[in-house]
Amino acid sequence: MTKLDEKRAELEAKQAALHAIFEEMGEDLDASKVTSIKGDSRAIAAEIKRLNDELSAIGAEVEELQAVAKAGDNVKRIGEYLNAPASAMVHPSAGAGKADVPFKSLGELCVESPALKDYKGGEGPKAELDVELKTLFQTTAGWLPETTRTGRMVEYATRPIQVLDIIPQGATSQAAVVYMEETTFTNAAAEVAEGITSADSALALTERSSNVRKIATWLPVTDEQLEDVPQVQGYINNRLTFMLRQRLDSQVLVGNGAAPNLMGLCNVVGVQSQALGADPVPDAIYKAMVLVRVTGRALPNAVVLHPNDWQGVRLLRTADGIYIWGSPADAGPARIWGLPVVETDAITENTGLVGDFANHCELAARRGVEIQVTNAHSDYFILGKQAIRADLRVAFPIYRPTAFCKITGI
């Protein structure tokens, strides 16, 4: 047995032990029902936290060992990465420095003022103007103060890219990723006595394919904008690339498969489903993991949840108010049952996804992000505009749908 197998077995044993405690507590999370742990609810919560910390540590070890085991295959299969290199931002140069001027407080300026020094009795100094009053020279009738931008650009608040980071990425030179799936496996192997006919087994393969789809967008920009602001080119490259990958990040989860959409993991035919029912959310996630192992014959390596749904898990408390997933004074583990939790609002709220993302799905790039610029359109040429287009072409084969399980009704 390899070290990876040993750690997987240890991980499953710890998961089963923690699940048994939740089973004893019941759906109302009553710690007084727990008989396998001695002590009050604080002791039980502490034991749950200890087990969960151990699960997190073992889960991290399993991920590292899996990464080492797959390194050889990944070197051969990794193609052009989807994220185009980002151009650096150019900031305006700082102005010439000024000589240091001693700082004086408001009180010091007041004390040193001529008006206070010449003060006599109850009146201050007086002056009479023997001139005709003119228009007051002020900023509204003179110079406005000069201001220079810092060069910082605050990006629009939008959904970050998270799911792509847990999906293996490869390359293809075809218009589709075509592969063979073993759709019949009948194992009739059995012990036979001398002279008795052996039972016959059966195997059958079916060709499957996942078509390459294109994701694209474009932006009109004037010649002057591109020429006069040095950082515009890098900014546009970064944001158009981000737009493509953000859309792809959503498609791999919830794409409906109708051309030109990709087929997402939540909609692929054959994906398993586990209803929440009367279970606490952690129990439903564990049951989904078991389905992935038993029916899907796979090893779940990540859980995808909407942030609002993970909030409910993080705030779980025992019947007498003890936080199960760690004290509010701590950041708390972004793991459950030893698996990393990916929080993203790309997935539908009240739905979670558990699966073996590392082995049974893949992003195969036909072409990475490409950015082109043209003014070939007659109106654009006359008006001094440029059309900047960015696109990528990628297939998303899901090799074993049963290696994934949705949790519904969260």
Side-chain angles (χ1 to χ4, degrees):
M1 178 181 289
T2 65
K3 187 174 181 181
L4 177 58
D5 293 332
E6 291 176 0
K7 284 298 178 181
R8 284 173 175 167
E10 186 179 354
L11 181 65
E12 291 184 21
K14 294 287 185 184
Q15 289 170 340
L18 186 54
H19 182 249
I21 297 174
F22 275 94
E23 286 287 290
E24 288 184 295
M25 294 173 73
E27 61 180 282
D28 56 351
L29 298 177
D30 188 351
S32 65
K33 298 178 181 178
V34 177
T35 59
S36 59
I37 303 173
K38 294 182 179 180
D40 57 13
S41 60
R42 290 184 180 276
I44 294 169
E47 177 64 12
I48 291 174
K49 184 177 185 301
R50 184 188 69 79
L51 284 172
N52 195 59
D53 289 343
E54 290 181 1
L55 277 169
S56 297
I58 298 170
E61 288 185 61
V62 170
E63 291 170 15
E64 291 176 3
L65 291 171
Q66 285 176 331
V68 171
K70 288 179 65 65
D73 288 340
N74 286 344
V75 168
K76 297 177 183 178
R77 298 172 59 203
I78 291 294
E80 181 181 6
Y81 190 71
L82 296 177
N83 189 10
S87 299
M89 270 196 175
V90 180
H91 294 276
S93 300
K98 296 182 179 180
D100 292 337
V101 178
F103 173 79
K104 292 186 179 181
S105 68
L106 181 61
E108 290 174 320
L109 294 172
C110 182
V111 170
E112 296 175 5
S113 68
L116 187 59
K117 290 179 178 179
D118 295 340
Y119 176 73
K120 296 184 183 291
E123 297 182 357
K126 296 181 180 179
E128 294 183 1
L129 293 177
D130 190 17
V131 296
E132 182 182 353
L133 292 177
K134 301 294 183 181
T135 301
L136 179 64
F137 188 69
Q138 56 186 349
T139 57
T140 55
W143 281 289
L144 288 172
E146 182 179 357
T147 58
T148 302
R149 286 198 303 269
T150 63
R152 176 172 179 171
M153 188 277 299
V154 180
E155 294 179 347
Y156 187 83
T158 187
R159 177 176 58 81
I161 298 166
Q162 293 153 306
V163 183
L164 295 184
D165 293 337
I166 62 172
I167 296 177
Q169 302 190 21
T172 180
S173 59
Q174 306 294 319
V177 175
V178 181
Y179 57 96
M180 301 302 293
E181 180 183 357
E182 190 176 63
T183 50
T184 299
F185 178 84
T186 304
N187 182 3
E191 300 72 26
V192 295
E194 183 179 0
I196 301 300
T197 304
S198 302
D200 61 324
S201 298
L203 295 172
L205 303 178
T206 302
E207 184 178 274
R208 304 292 192 199
S209 67
S210 175
N211 292 328
V212 170
R213 303 298 191 192
K214 180 164 71 173
I215 299 176
T217 188
W218 75 286
L219 184 73
V221 185
T222 64
D223 296 340
E224 290 81 0
Q225 180 70 102
L226 287 173
E227 293 170 358
D228 296 345
V229 183
Q231 71 189 57
V232 163
Q233 181 179 352
Y235 166 70
I236 292 174
N237 286 346
N238 287 335
R239 297 309 277 170
L240 290 182
T241 299
F242 176 83
M243 290 174 184
L244 298 180
R245 299 188 71 243
Q246 185 188 58
R247 177 62 179 177
L248 182 58
D249 192 68
S250 173
Q251 283 275 289
V252 297
L253 281 178
V254 297
N256 61 21
N261 289 271
L262 294 169
M263 177 60 75
L265 289 164
C266 290
N267 295 322
V268 65
V269 174
V271 65
Q272 301 191 76
S273 182
Q274 172 65 46
L276 179 68
D279 291 327
V281 175
D283 283 28
I285 292 174
Y286 187 83
K287 289 180 179 180
M289 291 166 56
V290 172
L291 285 175
V292 170
R293 287 197 186 99
V294 175
T295 305
R297 303 295 182 185
L299 296 172
N301 68 337
V303 180
V304 180
L305 291 172
H306 192 284
N308 291 342
D309 297 330
W310 177 243
Q311 171 184 270
V313 176
R314 182 64 182 87
L315 298 181
L316 280 176
R317 292 181 288 177
T318 61
D320 54 351
I322 304 301
Y323 284 95
I324 294 175
W325 242 255
S327 166
D330 302 326
R335 285 179 173 269
I336 187 167
W337 304 114
L339 304 184
V341 175
V342 178
E343 296 181 66
T344 175
D345 55 4
I347 195 169
T348 305
E349 191 172 353
N350 303 321
T351 299
L353 183 67
V354 174
D356 188 346
F357 296 85
N359 298 298
H360 297 293
C361 64
E362 178 187 18
L363 273 174
R366 176 66 177 84
R367 175 171 47 74
V369 176
E370 184 174 272
I371 297 179
Q372 300 182 46
V373 183
T374 183
N375 64 352
H377 192 284
S378 59
D379 287 346
Y380 270 39
F381 177 77
I382 295 171
L383 296 173
K385 294 181 180 180
Q386 303 280 349
I388 303 177
R389 189 188 73 191
D391 59 24
L392 60 82
R393 298 182 66 204
V394 64
F396 183 53
I398 302 170
Y399 296 117
R400 188 182 298 175
T402 53
F404 301 89
C405 183
K406 294 189 294 184
I407 304 103
T408 60
I410 297 177

